[in-house]
Amino acid sequence: MSAVADWTLLNDHWPAVTGAGNPQTTIGRIELAAAPTDPLTIYAMASDANSATRSVQGVYKSTDGGSTWTQTGTSSSFSGCSGAGSQMWYDAGITVSPTDANVIFASTVDLFRSTNGGANFTNLTNAYCGGPVHPDNHARAFVGGDPNRLLNGNDGGVYYISNAMGAASWIALNDTLPTIEVYHGDITANFAASASAGVAAGFQDNGSAVAVFSGDPSATPWTHVFGGDGIVSRIEPVLGQRWYASSQNGNVVVSTNGPNDPDS
C-alpha cells in the first residue's frame, strides 16, 4: 500500500493558527463525517482544549469538500444535565443521516440530533436527567440505510430507536448481547474443585459485581456490590472472606464477610 504523497491543509475559517504544525491551545480532538448523499458536505466537531471537561468547542460545516468552513454550532448548542455536551476526550463522534445532508447525530456524554446542519441540537438521551440510555456515548450506525432506525453504542452497551427523527423511544439490546467490558477479575482459591466457587470482577463504567456458584460453574446472575467505573477486584486466597473492589479516583472497598458486604 502506497502512502498519500501530498496533503493540502483545509482550515480556512477555522480558529486562527489551526493546522500547519502550529501548537494548538484552543482546539483539541476533532471528529469528521461526510454526508452520504453529498460527498462535498463535510462536518467537523471540535473540542475545547481550554475546557476542563473538554466540552464541544464548535460544529463546523463545509459544502465544498473542505476548502472552506462555516461554524454552525457552539458549546451552547449542547444542553442537558451534568455536562451533557462534554468529555470529548472520551465521548465523541458525528454521523450524517443517510438521506439528508442537514441531519447529523453527535455523540458526547449524551447523544444529540440536529436537523439544520448543526446550528441547533436536541438531546436524545438525557442520561443524567433520568433518561433510559446510559451516559458516555461513542458510536452510531443506521440500520439498512433507514434514517429512522439508529443503533447507539455507549458505556452501557447497545441501544436502538426506530424513530430517530421523532421522539426517541429507546430499546436496550443488552439483555441478549454480551456488551459489558470486564476490566479485571479474580476467582476463589481451588476454583476448579470447590463446591462454592466464586468470581469477582470490575466492569467498565458499570461498577463491580460478584457471583458464587453452587456446584460446577454455569450461567448465573451477577450481584452488583460497588458502583462507578469498576476496575480491579481481588479475593483473599486462603480464607476467602476478604473480597476487594475498586473504582476510579482510587476508591477501594472490602468485604470482610464474604462477597456480598463491601465496606468503604
Side-chain angles (χ1 to χ4, degrees):
M1 180 182 293
S2 60
V4 177
D6 299 296
W7 291 86
T8 300
L9 182 62
L10 303 175
N11 72 338
D12 186 23
H13 293 174
W14 276 81
V17 308
T18 303
N22 294 300
Q24 188 51 231
T25 59
T26 58
I27 298 296
R29 176 176 176 174
I30 300 172
E31 291 291 317
L32 298 170
T37 56
D38 180 10
L40 293 179
T41 297
I42 304 173
Y43 290 92
M45 182 172 68
S47 67
D48 183 352
N50 293 319
S51 168
T53 61
R54 295 299 188 267
S55 59
V56 177
Q57 184 273 345
V59 176
Y60 298 82
K61 181 179 182 180
S62 173
T63 57
D64 54 12
S67 295
T68 59
W69 296 84
T70 299
Q71 184 172 1
T72 57
T74 66
S75 59
S76 62
S77 303
F78 296 81
S79 62
C81 294
S82 190
S86 66
Q87 287 193 180
M88 269 199 68
W89 58 273
Y90 179 60
D91 315 313
I94 189 168
T95 298
V96 188
S97 166
T99 59
D100 190 335
N102 286 309
V103 176
I104 58 177
F105 293 82
S107 294
T108 59
V109 166
D110 281 313
L111 179 69
F112 291 83
R113 177 190 64 215
S114 174
T115 59
N116 55 6
N120 303 101
F121 285 86
T122 299
N123 193 324
L124 298 181
T125 54
N126 287 296
Y128 288 114
C129 293
V133 175
H134 199 284
D136 299 345
N137 292 272
H138 302 280
R140 307 136 313 279
F142 290 97
V143 179
D146 187 330
N148 276 301
R149 300 170 64 197
L150 180 67
L151 290 166
N152 178 38
N154 56 47
D155 282 4
V158 182
Y159 295 78
Y160 169 76
I161 46 175
S162 60
N163 185 23
M165 294 304 298
S169 180
W170 292 97
I171 299 172
L173 303 181
N174 306 312
D175 291 342
T176 55
L177 294 173
T179 58
I180 300 302
E181 175 187 358
V182 177
Y183 267 145
H184 181 279
D186 199 8
I187 59 177
T188 52
N190 196 25
F191 183 90
S194 174
S196 57
V199 59
F203 303 107
Q204 196 278 323
D205 206 13
N206 283 271
S208 299
V210 300
V212 176
F213 306 99
S214 179
D216 292 336
S218 59
T220 190
W222 290 90
T223 298
H224 186 269
V225 294
F226 192 49
D229 294 304
I231 307 179
V232 174
S233 295
R234 295 303 299 268
I235 305 170
E236 185 277 313
V238 178
L239 300 178
Q241 292 300 294
R242 299 180 70 86
W243 292 51
Y244 297 87
S246 64
S247 68
Q248 77 276 24
N249 302 319
N251 295 308
V252 180
V253 296
V254 60
S255 168
T256 59
N257 187 31
N260 296 317
D261 295 309
D263 299 315
S264 57

